[in-house]
């Protein structure tokens, strides 16, 4: 069993008592930087199933003016913004909604490739509190590829309305990453979310994410051989183990990415992590 990530902010106000206009939030020293990104100390990705409130969280943290454009080579919109918190500058990337890292729609590929290959400093997974079980599929997949994550259980107001109670502390213990309940449309819980992002970004909190059990020995050996080959062919390839497992599973989209040279390009550019978004087309 994983241990709970230790957060000095654990004693902060419960989500229901915090809101964007209250003293806690003001005291958080949040400065919305909108499009004024420039140098960022940390890159934070907002991932999650469609319609869970990622863009609402994004707007609340960065302000209304944001940098939008397309992801290089795709017609998928890319939104970037920035904020400053406790003296650190954060670049926030709002990813398209995705049900699974194994999916192949263009939107989902963009999200998958960013998480896998750009390796944000913190991945905030935004989940719908009223559909938590279904959302956990993506949460567990993301926790397989990063150990710097925060789970934001959003729409807590809706969950409450339906009489649902979410035990965020137990979830944090089970998942091994900080879990924050929010009602982003009302600004509730955002102060705690900011603190959790900072805790993980700065390493103050070390996550011990829930991971699937090790595969059987025969498969382990096949993965090891493939990882070696991949790392030789693509020096600097992040998450080579994940790629190897997808290849062994016969994942057509990964095979195609190798055939077409897209994987090489992703590794070369580290999936546009450092590339500024293109100006929005009128
Ligand atoms: N009740 C309630 N509604 C919310 C909350 N957060 C977001 N919403 C609403 O949920 C809807 C979807 O929000 P978005 O922020 O667009 O969700 P998203 O995850 O960015 O959606 P996609 O980008 O399409 O995947 C909007 O109508 C929001 O106003 C919340 O905490 N409570
Ligand atoms: Mg959105």
């Amino acid at each position: 069993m994983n241990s709970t990530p230790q957060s000095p902010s654990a004693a902060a106000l419960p989500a229901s008592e915090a809101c964007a206009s209250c003293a806690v939030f003001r005291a958080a020293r949040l400065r919305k930087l909108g499009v004024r990104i420039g140098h960022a100390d940390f890159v934070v990705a907002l991932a999650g199933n469609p319609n869970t409130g990622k863009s609402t969280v994004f707007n609340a943290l960065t302000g209304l003016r944001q940098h939008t454009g397309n992801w290089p080579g795709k017609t998928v919109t890319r939104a970037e913004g920035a904020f400053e918190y406790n003296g650190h500058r954060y670049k926030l990337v709002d990813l398209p909604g995705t049900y699974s890292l194994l999916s192949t729609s263009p939107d989902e590929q963009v999200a998958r490739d960013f998480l896998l290959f750009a390796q944000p400093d913190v991945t905030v997974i935004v989940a719908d509190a009223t559909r938590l079980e279904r959302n956990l599929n993506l949460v567990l997949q993301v926790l397989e590829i990063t150990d710097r994550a925060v789970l934001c259980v959003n729409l807590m107001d809706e969950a409450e309305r339906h009489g649902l109670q979410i035990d965020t502390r137990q979830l944090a213990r089970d998942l091994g990453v900080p879990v924050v309940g929010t009602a982003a449309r009302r600004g509730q819980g955002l102060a705690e979310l900011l603190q959790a992002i900072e805790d993980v970004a700065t390493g103050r909190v070390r996550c011990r994410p829930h991971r699937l059990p090790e595969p059987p020995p025969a498969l382990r050996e096949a993965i090891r051989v493939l990882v070696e080959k991949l790392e030789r062919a693509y020096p600097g390839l992040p998450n080579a183990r994940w790629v190897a497992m997808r290849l062994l599973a016969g994942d057509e989209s990964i095979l195609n990415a190798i055939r077409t040279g897209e994987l090489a390009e992703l590794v070369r550019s580290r999936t546009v992590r450092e590339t500024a978004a293109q100006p929005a087309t009128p």
Side-chain angles (χ1 to χ4, degrees), residues 6 27 48 86 107 138 143 171 209 238 242 270 279:
Q6 291 302 307
N86 277 345
D107 284 29
L138 179 70
L143 296 187
L171 255 183
W242 187 92
R270 300 292 310 275

Side-chain angles (χ1 to χ4, degrees), residues 47-59 94-98 107 126 153-159 161 182-188:
N49 284 189
N51 231 23
T52 52
K54 297 177 294 299
S55 299
T56 306
V57 170
F58 178 86
N59 290 335
D94 188 14
L95 294 174
T98 177
D107 284 29
V126 183
V153 183
N154 192 34
L155 294 123
M156 285 294 258
D157 53 332
E158 282 294 311
R161 224 164 50 83
T182 61
R185 205 159 64 176
R186 302 178 182 173
Q188 289 176 352

Side-chain angles (χ1 to χ4, degrees), residues 213-226 241 244-245 248-249:
E214 276 287 307
L219 191 52
R220 234 178 288 161
E221 180 56 14
I223 293 170
R224 189 190 64 74
V225 170
L226 208 44
R241 186 182 147 82
M245 296 217 295
L248 289 170

Side-chain angles (χ1 to χ4, degrees), residues 129-248:
T130 68
R131 293 183 179 84
L132 195 51
E133 197 173 331
R134 198 171 82 163
N135 283 219
L136 281 178
N137 182 36
L138 179 70
V139 174
L140 292 175
Q141 288 180 358
V142 172
L143 296 187
E144 284 293 315
I145 59 164
T146 178
D147 52 7
R148 292 162 147 262
V150 172
L151 175 60
C152 167
V153 183
N154 192 34
L155 294 123
M156 285 294 258
D157 53 332
E158 282 294 311
E160 225 163 85
R161 224 164 50 83
H162 289 95
L164 293 168
Q165 288 191 341
I166 313 285
D167 187 345
T168 50
R169 275 167 195 256
Q170 186 58 45
L171 255 183
R173 240 172 267 140
D174 290 345
L175 294 173
V177 298
V179 178
V180 180
T182 61
R185 205 159 64 176
R186 302 178 182 173
Q188 289 176 352
L190 295 179
E192 289 83 352
L193 180 63
L194 279 168
Q195 188 56 49
I197 292 170
E198 166 137 308
D199 288 343
V200 173
T202 58
R204 200 177 310 134
V205 164
R206 287 200 51 196
C207 303
R208 293 188 191 84
H210 174 89
R211 293 267 155 88
L212 296 174
E214 276 287 307
L219 191 52
R220 234 178 288 161
E221 180 56 14
I223 293 170
R224 189 190 64 74
V225 170
L226 208 44
V227 163
E228 239 178 61
K229 284 181 191 290
L230 282 165
E231 285 177 341
R232 213 172 309 129
Y234 304 99
L237 171 72
N239 281 307
R241 186 182 147 82
W242 187 92
V243 176
M245 296 217 295
R246 293 313 300 153
L247 285 174
L248 289 170

Side-chain angles (χ1 to χ4, degrees), residues 14 17 33 42 103 110 138 143 201 225 227 274 276:
E17 289 175 42
L33 297 175
F42 302 110
S103 318
V110 158
L138 179 70
L143 296 187
V225 170
V227 163
E274 309 302 342

